[in-house]
Amino acid sequence: MNFTVSFDIVGQVKAAIQAAFLPTLIALLRNPILLIRPHEVSRIIMAHVWRLYANGIDDNARPTKEKLLPANCYGVVLDIGAGHGQTALYLDPTKVTKYVALEPNTLMHPKIRITAAKNGFTEETGTLLILPYGAEKISLITSAFGGAHAVDTLVSIFSLCSIPDPEQTLTALVNDVLKPGGTLLFYEHVLSPREDVARWQRFWTPVWIYIMDGCRMDRPTHLWIENMDAWAEGSVWGKDDEPEEHLFWRRAGRSVKKDD
Ligand SMILES: C[S@@+](CC[C@H](N)C(=O)[O-])C[C@H]1O[C@@H](n2cnc3c(N)ncnc32)[C@H](O)[C@@H]1O
């Protein structure tokens, strides 16, 4: 793999540290107890890093999201790891009855409200629900919906890279949260099929995890999804014009759950 490409990430790490260092330090000085709560510190860092990257990443992903989301999202949409809620901007409000943002980092919640409202999804009208849970908290999620199988469309955009026990969590979300006949839509950076690129992804992952709240660069998420036997149909495709030598090699997909 080209040496320059394998070290492209250094600039991003540097920019992320610059964006998060001072606000995180101030938060630690104000509340030193955070020193014994590394997970909370990680979320503070992520909130500041995501402020830096959210719009640029959304711009870059727009052609794929425009193909994936407006045509395929309907009914109750559960957005796993909603971030700033940018998925809401791609939803057709005549087809989507409720946008549910699953976002454990509560520092992101004010942004979700602002973004979702731009497309008419608000808590006041009952068309927006923010759940402060991780995707792995399946029983809390089903309780929030008042029972299992309440979601028509499950969406994950660059989030399955961060959730713990991803295969188990994904299976539980599809089995217990998604309705029979419901749809899973995803757009994720995944483990490259090229061994030289994959080696660099594994090399950088321990650094990236700290900056991006647990985000791993080395997960074959698209293969896990393709191999689940829950689907009646499914397809996976790549990002147009993406070079093979890319540390954040991306795959998008749509899978429809068996209607039993
Ligand atoms: C890279 S951001 C993507 C945000 C958004 N999906 C987007 O594309 O704009 C990953 C998001 O996953 C969230 N996240 C981290 N751990 C999670 C978990 N266990 N369950 C659900 N979301 C999680 C992070 O807080 C963050 O908002």
Side-chain angles (χ1 to χ4, degrees):
M1 185 182 177
N2 182 300
F3 189 75
T4 325
V5 177
S6 47
F7 276 83
D8 262 358
I9 195 175
V10 173
Q12 294 171 52
V13 171
K14 208 172 134 202
I17 291 170
Q18 277 168 351
F21 179 75
L22 199 58
T24 307
L25 184 66
I26 291 169
L28 284 167
L29 290 172
R30 283 196 181 137
N31 189 9
I33 194 101
L34 287 171
L35 284 168
I36 56 161
R37 295 179 185 157
H39 206 59
E40 284 183 41
V41 176
S42 188
R43 292 204 165 143
I44 293 169
I45 295 171
M46 178 61 182
H48 291 285
V49 172
W50 200 240
R51 251 178 237 168
L52 176 72
Y53 285 134
N55 289 342
I57 290 178
D58 181 52
D59 283 346
N60 187 267
R62 184 159 298 126
T64 306
K65 288 185 182 181
E66 281 174 345
K67 181 175 166 197
L68 183 69
L69 299 174
N72 295 309
C73 288
Y74 64 96
V76 175
V77 173
L78 178 64
D79 188 14
I80 303 167
H84 288 176
Q86 282 158 315
T87 295
L89 299 173
Y90 296 85
L91 305 180
D92 177 349
T94 65
K95 285 166 48 187
V96 173
T97 52
K98 190 179 270 198
Y99 170 63
V100 185
L102 184 70
E103 179 48 69
N105 191 336
T106 54
L107 298 170
M108 310 264 201
H109 290 187
K111 281 273 192 193
I112 294 176
R113 289 190 181 91
I114 293 168
T115 315
K118 287 183 188 163
N119 202 13
F121 296 100
T122 65
E123 286 159 318
E124 292 72 28
T125 56
T127 52
L128 168 68
L129 176 66
I130 302 178
L131 300 180
Y133 313 133
E136 65 283 6
K137 306 285 185 198
I138 302 295
S139 56
L140 290 175
I141 296 169
T142 50
S143 300
F145 284 113
H149 307 133
V151 166
D152 298 285
T153 318
L154 201 51
V155 174
S156 178
I157 312 283
F158 304 138
S159 294
L160 292 172
C161 46
S162 300
I163 65 173
D165 304 318
E167 284 185 89
Q168 198 184 317
T169 299
L170 196 54
T171 303
L173 283 169
V174 172
N175 286 347
D176 301 345
V177 179
L178 190 63
K179 280 183 189 168
T183 303
L184 168 72
L185 305 170
F186 71 90
Y187 185 40
E188 297 286 339
H189 60 83
V190 299
L191 183 70
S192 170
R194 275 183 53 157
E195 195 40 51
D196 56 340
V197 179
R199 241 192 327 269
W200 281 107
Q201 289 176 313
R202 293 191 186 101
F203 175 82
W204 285 117
T205 285
V207 178
W208 199 242
I209 277 177
Y210 278 103
I211 293 168
M212 297 292 278
D213 194 18
C215 170
R216 298 196 63 100
M217 300 164 71
D218 58 354
R219 285 184 172 169
T221 309
H222 60 309
L223 301 181
W224 293 337
I225 293 172
E226 267 187 318
N227 292 335
M228 289 173 74
D229 67 4
W231 311 125
E233 59 172 289
S235 55
V236 174
W237 62 93
K239 182 176 187 294
D240 292 342
D241 305 326
E242 182 159 76
E244 268 192 5
E245 282 195 345
H246 201 303
L247 286 174
F248 294 96
W249 196 67
R250 283 156 275 212
R251 298 281 99 180
R254 171 182 177 270
S255 305
V256 178
K257 187 174 165 179
K258 288 175 191 161
D259 196 354
D260 44 26

